[in-house]
Amino acid sequence: MIQSACGLDCYDACAIVASSGKLKGGEDRFTSGVLCSVLNRHIAKASRIMQPTIEGVEVTMEVALEALSKVLDKDSLLYRGSGNVGVMQEVTHLLFNRLSATIANGSLCDGAGEAGIAQGRGVNRLLTPQHIGKAEVIVVWGRNIDTTNTHLLPYLKGKKLVVIDPIQTAIAKQADVHLQIAPRSDLYLALLLCRFVIMQDMQKVSEFDGIEDFYDFTRTFRIKLLLERTDLKADDIAKVVELLGYEKVVHLVGVGVQKYSIGDAVLRAIDALAVILGHYGKEGCGVSFLGNSKLSFNNPFAIQTQTISKVNTPFGRFKSVLIQGANPAHSMPDTNRVIKELKKVENLIYFGTYHNETSQLAKIVIPALNFLEKSDVRLSYSDYSIKAMNPITQANHGISEYAFTRILIEKLGSGEIDDERSYIDSWLTQATHGVSLAAKNMLRFETFEFLEEIDDDFEAIKNLTDIKNLKNTHNTSGYWLLTPKAKHAINSQFKRDNSVEIHCDLGFHEGEKITLTTLYGTLNGIVKINNGVRQDCVMVRANVTGVNRLTPSIVSNKGNSACFQETKVTLTK
Ligand SMILES: Nc1nc2c(c(=O)[nH]1)N[C@H]1C(S)=C(S)[C@@H](COP(=O)(O)OP(=O)(O)OC[C@H]3O[C@@H](n4cnc5c(=O)[nH]c(N)nc54)[C@H](O)[C@@H]3O)O[C@H]1N2
Ligand SMILES: Nc1nc2c(c(=O)[nH]1)N[C@H]1C(S)=C(S)[C@@H](COP(=O)(O)OP(=O)(O)OC[C@H]3O[C@@H](n4cnc5c(=O)[nH]c(N)nc54)[C@H](O)[C@@H]3O)O[C@H]1N2
Ligand SMILES: [Mo]
């Protein structure tokens, strides 16, 4: 029996127990013996990269690493993704530090929301599932729990449930109130709710200054305008206000609300709502977004070096680029731009477990061991657990990030690094009973700065016209693009798809071909009728091949984050 943990980028960070290579869920309260379809089926079926290649020709690992040692220098870039989120992924920073080279930073994920939380309350802290379980009312705000966070479901049982999502998700179907909000309007809903709460004198006495000014700020928007922007009914909002009157309310916020330039302000406004109602700093209350899993840890891989944005990276400026655990040619926004840039790179190196859109463009391909084949440590962005990841199967068709780094540093003659065990132990010993030190301060809330202004040209973005003058009579313009995660995939890994999910009223039929166009590119897909999608939206999940041909590589106002949904789509038969 080997105890380990899942390294895939997901809220759940499941404990795994393996016997004779067979995986089972850990028996802890959270995982409770149950693993998802990815671990049960897809991971074993996925075909791995078995051999390093240089320009398509198979070579030994020794030859491949020797070639790398010749091309990596100070004009190189490291672009890391989140194919595996074990802490040892970051060990390659030590190599790039010794090279005095550049590292891509920023976020394709939660950066905008996190920046908003940090502006408001200083630190982005999360709430554990056990704490969430103590709430009376749960507001699920742009998080698709049945798909992306399934092990949390038992903690929501028996609670009053509000779901705010432009899609009627599985959890929305079970909700006491589902606000099927217009995309990109959560900021305005949060302001409206704050306004109603204060109008009804529901606010609690607060130690933080600024409620009066904040109330005045919310009053600079007419109620009618806010209702129009959110496209919600006053009656439904009133039901939510009533539920917010409960003593213990938790907001679970997902990445859906903040895939926009104004993502920071959305989280800040949701935080303000919780602060006004006194739903913070005490049992069963709070706002939990994706947390910073490394909070309070001493990170042996933290380095000072030059950085460049992960969102609109100018790859072409670098002679050599190492892509590690990422698939930027699929997962970054504006694929047409990304591919053009990647093609300019003289030495594009791909270090991963599977072939994908990015490996196809690479000159040198290095197979990585996956998280079941190496030692690592798993932290979590939705609780404070820390778990040792132990190798479950032995494999020799790839290399770990640690061995990769150690060998290259040796080859470059730039000294040595510590042994693998000592790095792993340095993480594990910073926790007690499998929980990080940050857990102690979970409810700490020392300061709060209310939002004072908003930098948003809402109407201009709402009225974005994508493609003008299309000749085809069957085209209609101006749909929002919703691009959430898929059940049997983890981002671009595992099951892929080509479905475009739309409401039947849009005039398309199940199984029919459809073309989506934006200012950035075109996607051809197959219609899947889903009447849970708002009529002003199209849903293309993150595992649909080519989805990011449609998305802009603009950077969020705060947090250096991608804005996948800040675009409008034209539909053509
Ligand atoms: N099965 C599976 N699990 C995963 C992943 C995966 O790919 N597959 N990926 C993992 C990763 S990397 C992450 S970051 C997490 C993310 O997981 P989540 O936080 O759940 O994020 P998404 O699935 O992107 O979107 C969540 C919801 O936001 C809604 N939404 C979209 N736009 C808006 C809006 O403007 N307002 C509101 N209120 N809602 C909106 C969508 O309809 C969707 O239901 O999941 C992790 N878990
Ligand atoms: N349209 C749209 N785009 C999105 C999103 C969305 O919701 N919609 N979500 C965004 C989000 S939240 C995220 S987090 C990003 C994710 O985007 P990426 O971080 O690029 O993740 P993946 O596309 O899954 O690619 C991960 C690759 O890592 C490799 N890999 C797996 N395990 C290991 C390992 O142990 N070592 C190494 N070296 N490689 C490994 C695999 O080969 C895999 O192909 O995508 C973003 N892109
Ligand atoms: Mo993510």
Side-chain angles (χ1 to χ4, degrees):
M1 288 257 275
I2 302 167
Q3 306 269 357
S4 192
C6 179
L8 296 174
D9 183 356
C10 167
Y11 288 103
D12 288 5
C14 290
I16 295 177
V17 184
S19 66
S20 336
K22 255 188 107 55
L23 307 185
K24 269 187 50 197
E27 292 298 338
D28 60 290
R29 211 169 124 199
F30 186 67
T31 311
S32 18
V34 182
L35 293 178
C36 68
S37 67
V38 167
L39 288 165
N40 280 328
R41 293 199 301 280
H42 298 284
I43 209 162
K45 285 198 307 201
S47 96
R48 297 282 295 280
I49 305 177
M50 300 303 282
Q51 187 80 32
T53 52
I54 300 180
E55 299 191 80
V57 179
E58 289 192 355
V59 295
T60 61
M61 189 62 82
E62 169 55 27
V63 168
L65 295 180
E66 186 62 26
L68 252 60
S69 73
K70 298 280 180 329
V71 301
L72 290 177
D73 59 18
K74 68 170 186 12
D75 295 324
S76 304
L77 170 71
L78 172 63
Y79 188 101
R80 286 205 306 116
S82 43
N84 167 357
V85 293
V87 298
M88 291 301 285
Q89 287 292 308
E90 207 178 328
V91 68
T92 48
H93 284 201
L94 301 181
L95 169 64
F96 276 69
N97 193 30
R98 308 239 175 151
L99 292 166
S100 303
T102 306
I103 295 181
N105 81 350
S107 168
L108 301 185
C109 182
D110 58 346
E114 172 157 281
I117 294 177
Q119 287 169 80
R121 48 177 141 130
V123 188
N124 177 20
R125 299 185 201 279
L126 56 89
L127 303 173
T128 58
Q130 291 72 24
H131 180 88
I132 293 164
K134 289 179 184 152
E136 297 163 299
V137 177
I138 303 222
V139 185
V140 179
W141 208 317
R143 195 192 284 199
N144 188 8
I145 298 193
D146 286 85
T147 296
T148 60
N149 194 189
T150 48
H151 289 83
L152 193 64
L153 287 170
Y155 294 86
L156 309 191
K157 281 238 168 75
K159 319 273 178 220
K160 296 275 178 205
L161 195 60
V162 176
V163 173
I164 303 170
D165 199 305
I167 293 178
Q168 193 190 30
T169 55
I171 190 101
K173 286 185 188 143
Q174 299 163 34
D176 294 279
V177 189
H178 173 205
L179 296 183
Q180 197 165 8
I181 190 170
R184 206 185 175 283
S185 68
D186 299 83
L187 166 58
Y188 302 101
L189 172 63
L191 294 177
L192 188 60
L193 289 168
C194 290
R195 173 107 173 247
F196 285 158
V197 158
I198 301 176
M199 273 164 64
Q200 296 182 25
D201 226 3
M202 289 165 68
Q203 77 273 24
K204 297 277 162 24
V205 179
S206 170
E207 70 265 45
F208 305 123
D209 295 333
I211 285 200
E212 290 303 323
D213 289 346
F214 179 66
Y215 183 48
D216 288 343
F217 172 62
T218 66
R219 286 181 9 185
T220 59
F221 301 90
R222 283 177 296 117
I223 289 177
K224 187 161 167 271
L225 178 85
L226 294 173
L227 283 170
E228 256 167 43
R229 286 189 176 180
T230 56
D231 194 27
L232 295 171
K233 290 198 197 74
D235 286 357
D236 289 334
I237 295 182
K239 286 184 206 152
V240 174
V241 172
E242 197 185 316
L243 290 172
L244 290 175
Y246 277 66
E247 195 66 27
K248 294 179 180 177
V249 178
V250 159
H251 298 263
L252 296 177
V253 190
V255 294
V257 301
Q258 53 92 69
K259 298 180 183 183
Y260 308 103
S261 54
I262 51 166
D264 63 308
V266 179
L267 265 295
R268 227 174 140 183
I270 295 173
D271 260 355
L273 179 63
V275 166
I276 289 173
L277 284 159
H279 292 144
Y280 65 94
K282 59 184 192 211
E283 189 177 271
C285 289
V287 177
S288 199
F289 181 56
L290 292 78
N292 168 9
S293 59
K294 290 181 180 152
L295 184 68
S296 92
F297 280 93
N298 228 326
N299 180 352
F301 310 130
I303 53 157
Q304 291 287 331
T305 189
Q306 303 154 68
T307 59
I308 196 159
S309 175
K310 268 183 107 164
V311 178
N312 55 4
T313 322
F315 292 105
R317 268 199 232 154
F318 297 87
K319 196 183 85 189
S320 303
V321 175
L322 173 63
I323 308 278
Q324 176 198 333
N327 185 10
H330 169 91
S331 293
M332 276 177 83
D334 200 354
T335 303
N336 291 334
R337 188 204 72 87
V338 172
I339 289 179
K340 211 151 89 196
E341 283 292 319
L342 289 173
K343 283 185 171 163
K344 288 188 211 156
V345 179
E346 192 181 321
N347 305 300
L348 185 67
I349 305 150
Y350 172 81
F351 181 23
T353 49
Y354 305 116
H355 276 299
N356 56 30
E357 288 85 344
T358 310
S359 70
Q360 279 163 25
L361 300 170
K363 184 166 168 183
I364 305 181
V365 174
I366 310 276
L369 292 178
N370 76 10
F371 68 88
L372 299 167
E373 299 157 346
K374 59 195 171 197
S375 299
D376 209 325
V377 175
R378 178 64 154 99
L379 307 177
S380 163
Y381 51 84
S382 74
D383 66 29
Y384 294 99
S385 70
I386 167 165
K387 301 183 186 93
M389 298 165 74
N390 299 306
I392 289 168
T393 40
Q394 296 300 324
N396 53 13
H397 50 244
I399 189 166
S400 71
E401 286 67 23
Y402 173 80
F404 175 92
T405 303
R406 186 178 45 77
I407 294 169
L408 278 169
I409 286 181
E410 259 168 41
K411 282 188 185 291
L412 291 161
S414 48
E416 290 178 0
I417 56 172
D418 296 345
D419 66 78
E420 186 175 25
R421 198 67 244 170
S422 74
Y423 287 123
I424 288 178
D425 287 344
S426 85
W427 287 96
L428 291 174
T429 52
Q430 292 183 60
T432 38
H433 307 298
V435 174
S436 92
L437 301 176
K440 271 204 318 241
N441 297 322
M442 178 172 74
L443 299 179
R444 192 132 119 206
F445 216 103
E446 280 147 8
T447 96
F448 191 71
E449 301 272 338
F450 285 97
L451 194 63
E452 283 171 342
E453 56 178 6
I454 294 171
D455 174 14
D456 184 26
D457 196 348
F458 183 85
E459 304 304 328
I461 291 165
K462 187 175 172 205
N463 298 323
L464 266 179
T465 33
D466 21 274
I467 292 298
K468 292 191 194 101
N469 310 324
L470 270 186
K471 300 237 163 52
N472 192 321
T473 49
H474 281 293
N475 78 71
T476 42
S477 273
Y479 295 90
W480 287 107
L481 174 68
L482 301 178
T483 170
K485 312 296 186 194
K487 189 109 195 159
H488 304 291
I490 296 291
N491 299 311
S492 77
Q493 298 185 78
F494 314 111
K495 191 171 180 291
R496 284 300 189 85
D497 206 344
N498 62 358
S499 301
V500 173
E501 296 180 49
I502 49 175
H503 195 282
C504 68
D505 285 358
L506 269 50
F508 289 80
H509 305 292
E510 179 85 15
E512 167 174 38
K513 285 187 186 154
I514 186 169
T515 300
L516 276 56
T517 318
T518 66
L519 288 172
Y520 313 96
T522 300
L523 171 83
N524 296 310
I526 301 294
V527 172
K528 186 169 167 185
I529 297 296
N530 178 346
N531 291 338
V533 181
R534 279 175 59 98
Q535 277 114 311
D536 57 355
C537 299
V538 289
M539 169 158 66
V540 185
R541 294 185 193 273
N543 68 334
V544 170
T545 301
V547 55
N548 283 315
R549 292 193 184 271
L550 301 172
T551 58
S553 56
I554 53 172
V555 181
S556 58
N557 295 350
K558 300 268 160 56
N560 192 3
S561 200
C563 307
F564 291 104
Q565 296 187 167
E566 195 137 304
T567 186
K568 286 292 189 89
V569 183
T570 296
L571 308 182
T572 316
K573 292 223 184 199

